[in-house]
Every structure is written in structure tokens, then in C-alpha cells.
Amino acid sequence: KKKTFLREFLADAFETLLQGKIFLCCLYFGILSGIVLGIKNLVDLTFKKNKFVLIITDIAFLSISAVLFVICINVFNFGEFRLFELLAFALGIVIEQKTINNLVEKFLIMIYNFLTKIICKLKQTKLFAKIFK
């Protein structure tokens, strides 16, 4: 019985030590989800009058966030759900929105502007006109 007690004690101690790592991983995945939310917000601003696009972006954001959360739980906590994981994930989204969201938006706008310049130049070519005739 002492071996069983010792094994259970060590297993509980090891599990307790992993909770900090699990919390930080969920926080990180929440920050990734916050970046996806920033992308969603920029798409929503671009298509603000089109309700269909708004609904599609909402569904896409929720789906991507749910997949990120499930991956995080399965990889780092072997599929065991705990409330602090959900709180860490939500806290990661809030931290991203309050701190680095402006930098992410500026970067995404730079990429958007770069791609639109390239597409505008491609539209002027004869090859583009032949392809999309």
C-alpha cells in the first residue's frame, strides 16, 4: 500500500508542476486566436455592409478558435479539460487585443496594401486580361 500511495502522491505532484506550463500554453494559443480575431476585424471593416461576409467571418473565427483550443488541450494536457485552461485562453485573447493588436493590424494592412498594388499591376497586363476574359 505504501508504494501505491507514493505513486499517487508523485503523480499528483507531477501533475501540479505541469499546470503552469499548461496555463502558459493556453495563454499562447489564446494570443494566436486574438491574432485571428484581428484578421477577422479587418475583414469585417472591409466588408462592413455585407452581412453574409460578416456571418462567414464570425463562423470562421469561432471555428478556428475552437480548433486551436482543442489542439492545445489535447497536445499539452492529454485531452483533460480544466477551467483554468479556458480562462488562460480567454486571457490570451484579451492580452493580444489590448497590447499587440495595433502592431498586428498595421502589419496586416501593409500586407493588404502590398497585395492590392501587385494585383492592380497584374490587371494592367495582357496575360491577366486573357486569363480572366
Side-chain angles (χ1 to χ4, degrees):
K1 288 185 178 181
K2 288 184 180 181
K3 283 187 177 180
T4 306
F5 173 75
L6 183 60
R7 281 186 186 164
E8 288 179 15
F9 177 76
L10 290 176
D12 288 342
F14 184 69
E15 188 176 306
T16 304
L17 291 174
L18 286 179
Q19 287 182 2
K21 175 188 166 195
I22 294 166
F23 183 85
L24 291 176
C25 291
C26 288
L27 191 71
Y28 171 71
F29 275 83
I31 290 172
L32 288 178
S33 186
I35 291 171
V36 173
L37 179 61
I39 294 168
K40 176 212 167 302
N41 289 339
L42 286 177
V43 172
D44 286 351
L45 283 176
T46 305
F47 297 101
K48 59 185 166 188
K49 300 230 178 195
N50 192 340
K51 295 212 183 245
F52 179 72
V53 173
L54 295 176
I55 291 170
I56 294 298
T57 56
D58 286 341
I59 292 170
F61 167 70
L62 289 174
S63 300
I64 292 169
S65 294
V67 167
L68 283 173
F69 185 68
V70 169
I71 288 172
C72 179
I73 288 175
N74 283 325
V75 170
F76 296 107
N77 202 16
F78 309 108
E80 189 174 323
F81 174 73
R82 297 200 175 144
L83 185 60
F84 77 88
E85 295 167 341
L86 185 62
L87 295 175
F89 192 81
L91 183 63
I93 294 173
V94 170
I95 287 172
E96 191 279 333
Q97 291 293 303
K98 296 293 182 188
T99 57
I100 63 172
N101 188 42
N102 291 335
L103 294 174
V104 171
E105 281 185 3
K106 286 179 185 177
F107 179 71
L108 292 172
I109 289 171
M110 281 182 5
I111 291 173
Y112 174 78
N113 290 337
F114 176 74
L115 290 175
T116 52
K117 285 179 185 178
I118 289 176
I119 290 172
C120 287
K121 287 182 182 181
L122 285 175
K123 281 184 179 180
Q124 297 172 353
T125 64
K126 292 179 183 179
L127 179 63
F128 188 87
K130 286 182 181 179
I131 292 173
F132 292 103
K133 215 171 197 183

